[in-house]
Amino acid sequence: MDSATSDARTPLGASADNGLKIVVVGGFGVGKTTLVRSVSEIRPLNTEETMTQAGEGVDDVSGVRGKTATTVAFDFGRITLDAHNVLYLFGAPGQERFWFLWDRLFSGTLGAVVLVDTRRIDDSWYAIDRLEHHGTPFIVACNDFGGPVHGHAEIRAALDLDPRVPLVDCDARSRESGKQVLITLVRHVQEQYAGQAARAAVPRQEFV
């Protein structure tokens, strides 16, 4: 899944007629903006604002003490797959007070990446719950923050993750790592749709 170019001002070709929407969700400060920024072929649109002391009484910053800015609406990036297909990337805000935006953001979504900080794994519950509620295919990507290493079996158990949901490790700062996350998601979505098509093709047995 090679993007067309890294030129921030590359226009979208007139022949690109199939826009595929992917959402990156997760808890506060897990690296959603960083992931969108690292893989986007254009200069990402973001709504980051400087964090102030006033926000400490509203947002739980105990696990992200070094964070100085936060997304207050969403991030937006783009990857051109080929002449006709483009991925549009939306990074959702992680603070609980902005969760009301998520359901609308999930509308028309091909699939989602749930980004996880294994030091604060409970922050991932809401994202997984809402995606399952919407029936949106998703994968889970554990962002590397240099903390203790947890095995995938341990993480799956902590998240009560369906065994069919892919779980991968990543470094949101790395373009190549981010691309592998998106490739995993696209393949997972393809497998899901292929399975649905196969089940739909099976003739129903009639009972008399």
Side-chain angles (χ1 to χ4, degrees):
M1 188 176 66
D2 294 327
S3 58
T5 176
S6 59
D7 185 351
R9 300 189 180 277
T10 301
L12 183 61
S15 62
D17 51 14
N18 191 23
L20 307 172
K21 180 181 177 183
I22 286 178
V23 175
V24 182
V25 292
F28 185 39
V30 296
K32 300 179 294 296
T33 298
T34 301
L35 179 62
V36 172
R37 184 183 296 137
S38 68
V39 298
S40 178
E41 69 187 16
I42 62 171
R43 183 180 298 115
L45 167 68
N46 63 66
T47 55
E48 279 197 317
E49 296 293 341
T50 302
M51 296 176 63
T52 65
Q53 289 184 338
E56 292 190 17
V58 180
D59 301 320
D60 181 7
V61 298
S62 57
V64 288
R65 288 296 179 185
K67 190 171 175 62
T68 58
T70 185
T71 299
V72 296
F74 61 84
D75 305 302
F76 174 76
R78 187 190 80 200
I79 299 177
T80 301
L81 302 179
D82 54 40
H84 298 281
N85 297 285
V86 177
L87 282 183
Y88 295 117
L89 308 174
F90 291 83
Q95 304 98 306
E96 185 174 351
R97 58 193 165 111
F98 294 126
W99 284 354
F100 72 93
L101 296 171
W102 286 17
D103 286 347
R104 188 173 296 274
L105 194 57
F106 291 162
S107 176
T109 298
L110 176 71
V113 175
V114 178
L115 205 57
V116 172
D117 178 353
T118 56
R119 302 169 303 175
R120 298 178 289 118
I121 204 161
D122 288 349
D123 292 354
S124 309
W125 274 104
Y126 184 77
I128 292 174
D129 177 73
R130 296 317 299 165
L131 289 167
E132 290 179 340
H133 173 77
H134 283 270
T136 303
F138 68 93
I139 69 168
V140 173
C142 298
N143 195 10
D144 180 14
F145 283 92
V149 177
H150 298 276
H152 281 195
E154 184 181 359
I155 296 170
R156 283 188 178 277
L159 292 173
D160 192 23
L161 201 60
D162 188 304
R164 295 168 294 183
V165 174
L167 173 64
V168 298
D169 298 313
C170 75
D171 182 344
R173 300 165 299 180
S174 164
R175 179 178 179 82
E176 186 57 37
S177 181
K179 285 172 59 179
Q180 291 305 314
V181 168
L182 297 180
I183 289 171
T184 301
L185 174 61
V186 170
R187 288 175 175 168
H188 177 56
V189 171
Q190 288 176 331
E191 290 171 359
Q192 285 222 328
Y193 280 113
Q196 291 174 3
R199 288 191 293 272
V202 176
R204 295 182 178 179
Q205 184 177 1
E206 295 190 12
F207 296 92
V208 294

